[in-house]
Amino acid sequence: MSSEMDFDGGSAPTAEQKPIPAEGLHDAVCYAVVNWGEVLDDYEGIVKGTCKAVRFFFELDESMADGQPFILSTYPIKIKYGKNSGFVSTMKDWLGERDCPEKLVGYPLGAMKGRMASLQVSHKGRDDGTYTARIKSILKARLGAKA
């Protein structure tokens, strides 16, 4: 007796791949800065407390087949001010070493909305056989980049 769900002992078919931007460097504009609220601040599995986090959303210069631009966002970035923090590193890379304030405490993150950037995009495989595009790094916009 055969069933419509019989895959002859093989695995289920893979999911359909959604359009994603190519890997590499892309011009982009930040169109939203979202306060992600309080998140756990942990290091190597040990919770040290909570801290605020932010997400940046970008519209890329590359469009999908339907003409709509690709949209990518960061994972929540913990707002911590130590010189080795991911937040400080991201801001220095994006603003440029010379243009980044020495102290980011109180920096108006909402001012990043509308700011150009160069995004290093990478791909990551999923269990269903598809890929997702991720922001590997946010860099200062290249000269001549247009919104």
Side-chain angles (χ1 to χ4, degrees):
M1 181 175 202
S2 178
S3 149
E4 288 183 25
M5 296 301 288
D6 185 6
F7 296 109
D8 298 322
S11 61
T14 59
E16 182 180 337
Q17 175 67 52
K18 292 188 169 124
I20 59 175
E23 286 186 298
L25 207 56
H26 292 269
D27 292 334
V29 65
C30 178
Y31 74 89
V33 178
V34 177
N35 177 346
W36 210 246
E38 297 282 326
V39 297
L40 290 178
D41 181 17
D42 63 329
Y43 180 72
E44 294 182 352
I46 299 170
V47 177
K48 297 186 173 212
T50 61
C51 63
K52 292 186 178 189
V54 65
R55 286 184 73 179
F56 298 105
F57 290 77
F58 293 91
E59 185 175 289
L60 276 65
D61 62 337
E62 185 179 340
S63 297
M64 296 182 277
D66 65 3
Q68 294 295 313
F70 283 107
I71 302 293
L72 289 178
S73 70
T74 62
Y75 284 100
I77 299 171
K78 294 176 185 175
I79 301 175
K80 295 168 64 173
Y81 300 104
K83 66 179 181 179
N84 295 326
S85 78
F87 173 71
V88 171
S89 175
T90 296
M91 295 303 287
K92 280 185 176 180
D93 288 347
W94 189 0
L95 294 170
E97 189 77 35
R98 271 194 354 211
D99 297 329
C100 188
E102 191 162 323
K103 298 195 184 226
L104 286 165
V105 176
Y107 188 82
L109 293 177
M112 300 307 282
K113 183 177 176 183
R115 189 175 190 100
M116 292 292 300
S118 291
L119 302 181
Q120 182 66 42
V121 174
S122 64
H123 290 172
K124 181 167 170 74
R126 292 183 174 161
D127 291 340
D128 65 4
T130 62
Y131 288 85
T132 182
R134 298 183 177 201
I135 297 173
K136 191 172 182 179
S137 59
I138 305 171
L139 306 169
K140 188 171 184 168
R142 65 182 179 82
L143 292 176
K146 294 181 182 162

